[in-house]
Amino acid sequence: MYDRDALLAAVDLRELADELLGTAGTNGRARMWPCPNRHHAQTGRTPPVSIFTSRRGDQRWRCHGCGEGGTAIDLVLACRGGSAREAMTFLAERAGHRDQRDELVRPDRPTRGRSIPPSGCRDQEALDRYVDRCAKRLWEPDGRRTRQWLTDARGLPRDVLVENRIGADLGPRMQQRPDGMPRAAGIVLPVIDDGHAVYAQLRIPHPRSDGPRYLNPTSDLATNPRLSRARPAEVRHPEIIVTEGEIDALSAAAAGYRSVAVLSAAYSDEAVGVALAKLPHPLVIAFDADDAGRTGAHRLEALLVARQRPPVVLDFGQGDLNDAMRGSKDWPSQMQRLVDAAIADRSASLGASVSR
């Protein structure tokens, strides 16, 4: 993928508009362009599209007739169609930018014993073996009940579960584990860093009413990294979905989005904000629609805005991302509509604030 911010900074949006929309007309001293929306009937003498600089310092365009608008990427999409990736490639070729390394691409697994184990995990090789064995067991006959909970009850596709090494722990009598892992049966949700398992939560599929849903390893074995990345089998969108928990992150991956799980809404702190702000992709926060989730989302949004990385925030009204997926007939299309609508709403609000 490309460094989106650097790519947009290299584009003169007025020159791009001249190229894609034709030479600008004028309204007094202001330059104005025709709207790229083919469904917008333009009957006035003055073209309706203006270009302005947002509070972030980004150049943006907006049609004052139909409300369309956005960045240079949105203008290319409106004029040429295609995907966001194709639009960014078009802009990169104009600006002479190179493709950047995707920080969420899982690298090849390094050979054990020849690389330096990631920090924060005391017995990384044992944790790797445990995660690998549980990932295989999920697809064996004795992992059937766990597998059914993930695929039938939670609607998660096989390719996403395999891609992220999700596993089944059938309990301490059936599964060896490193010292410090909970001695319980459950779904193994690993945190992968540089090809290594550096942390793993156990999700209890059917917890008691007074019992926890998630069990964590002791700090002696592994330090909680606070963030866990999940990848789709095929990346279809430029945005990264930030979720509250790994099940929701896997649900976003099922729609073709890269995702990052915050391992508790209470972890929306300075360190999490700094880590997310470094990711070179647009950020979309999709926390649970309860008081704790909304509070965590607002706190994280403020932290990212302070670092010049304002995110889009989704609100499902009730439930969480996995609930939305399970209630959808076409989850990839629905998720894309939700994200696109939220981005459009933010662009409109930015345009309105600038015009005021």
Side-chain angles (χ1 to χ4, degrees):
M1 293 297 293
Y2 298 97
D3 184 329
R4 178 180 179 276
D5 292 338
L7 186 58
L8 292 177
V11 174
D12 185 320
L13 188 52
R14 290 176 175 82
E15 289 184 2
L16 180 67
D18 282 341
E19 177 182 328
L20 297 178
L21 302 174
T23 304
T26 58
N27 180 14
R29 295 183 179 180
R31 299 174 66 192
M32 307 289 285
W33 289 262
C35 179
N37 182 355
R38 66 180 183 275
H39 300 298
H40 174 197
Q42 300 167 70
T43 58
R45 292 183 179 180
T46 303
V49 170
S50 65
I51 291 175
F52 60 92
T53 301
S54 73
R55 293 180 179 178
R56 283 189 62 196
D58 297 334
Q59 285 189 312
R60 305 183 71 87
W61 63 279
R62 181 170 184 262
C63 176
H64 299 276
C66 69
E68 288 276 353
T71 65
I73 296 171
D74 299 302
L75 183 59
V76 174
L77 287 171
C79 294
R80 295 168 56 92
S83 66
R85 169 72 191 215
E86 290 167 340
M88 294 175 76
T89 299
F90 172 78
L91 293 175
E93 290 174 351
R94 290 178 78 257
H97 272 227
R98 292 184 175 182
D99 201 7
Q100 300 294 315
R101 178 182 180 270
D102 183 349
E103 291 191 10
L104 285 185
V105 170
R106 188 183 73 189
D108 293 335
R109 296 284 307 281
T111 303
R112 291 192 179 97
R114 294 173 56 187
S115 59
I116 300 174
S119 60
C121 184
R122 173 180 54 79
D123 195 351
Q124 179 268 314
E125 289 194 1
L127 187 59
D128 252 344
R129 288 193 297 270
Y130 168 74
V131 166
D132 285 348
R133 183 67 191 96
C134 291
K136 291 177 182 177
R137 175 154 275 162
L138 179 64
W139 306 104
E140 295 172 353
D142 54 5
R144 179 177 59 85
R145 292 182 64 184
T146 304
R147 184 169 66 249
Q148 286 179 335
W149 187 88
L150 287 163
T151 59
D152 298 347
R154 290 294 169 175
L156 296 168
R158 178 188 177 110
D159 56 0
V160 169
L161 298 174
V162 171
E163 178 73 21
N164 294 282
R165 294 165 66 187
I166 307 304
D169 185 331
L170 303 183
R173 293 184 180 180
M174 300 285 292
Q175 177 63 55
Q176 292 184 340
R177 68 201 63 234
D179 291 340
M181 276 303 298
R183 294 179 62 80
I187 294 155
V188 179
L189 301 170
V191 178
I192 307 300
D193 181 15
D194 195 24
H196 291 286
V198 297
Y199 194 78
Q201 287 185 318
L202 275 183
R203 171 63 159 92
I204 309 302
H206 306 288
R208 300 193 309 268
S209 59
D210 60 345
R213 290 188 300 166
Y214 290 92
L215 300 176
N216 296 299
T218 64
S219 57
D220 288 340
L221 173 62
T223 302
N224 191 322
R226 301 192 174 194
L227 295 176
S228 177
R229 299 176 176 185
R231 280 187 56 81
E234 178 187 355
V235 178
R236 303 187 195 124
H237 307 282
E239 296 84 10
I240 292 176
I241 311 299
V242 183
T243 70
E244 185 183 341
E246 289 205 61
I247 297 296
D248 283 356
L250 296 168
S251 302
Y257 288 87
R258 288 163 295 209
S259 54
V260 176
V262 180
L263 298 184
S264 168
Y267 286 154
S268 298
D269 60 10
E270 197 80 16
V272 167
V274 169
L276 289 173
K278 292 178 180 179
L279 298 177
H281 306 282
L283 299 172
V284 178
I285 299 175
F287 279 12
D288 297 357
D290 56 19
D291 290 342
R294 290 191 176 99
T295 298
H298 291 155
R299 186 187 308 123
L300 184 55
E301 180 184 18
L303 290 168
L304 290 169
V305 167
R307 284 162 181 77
Q308 305 300 310
R309 290 298 313 277
V312 167
V313 180
L314 299 184
D315 188 344
F316 299 101
Q318 61 182 1
D320 57 28
L321 195 66
N322 184 252
D323 292 331
M325 181 184 75
R326 288 183 288 143
S328 175
K329 295 181 179 179
D330 184 355
W331 175 234
S333 297
Q334 180 179 335
M335 183 65 182
Q336 183 176 359
R337 286 195 297 271
L338 287 170
V339 172
D340 289 348
I343 292 173
D345 288 345
R346 188 185 67 178
S347 297
S349 64
L350 285 173
S353 64
V354 170
S355 62
R356 288 197 297 267

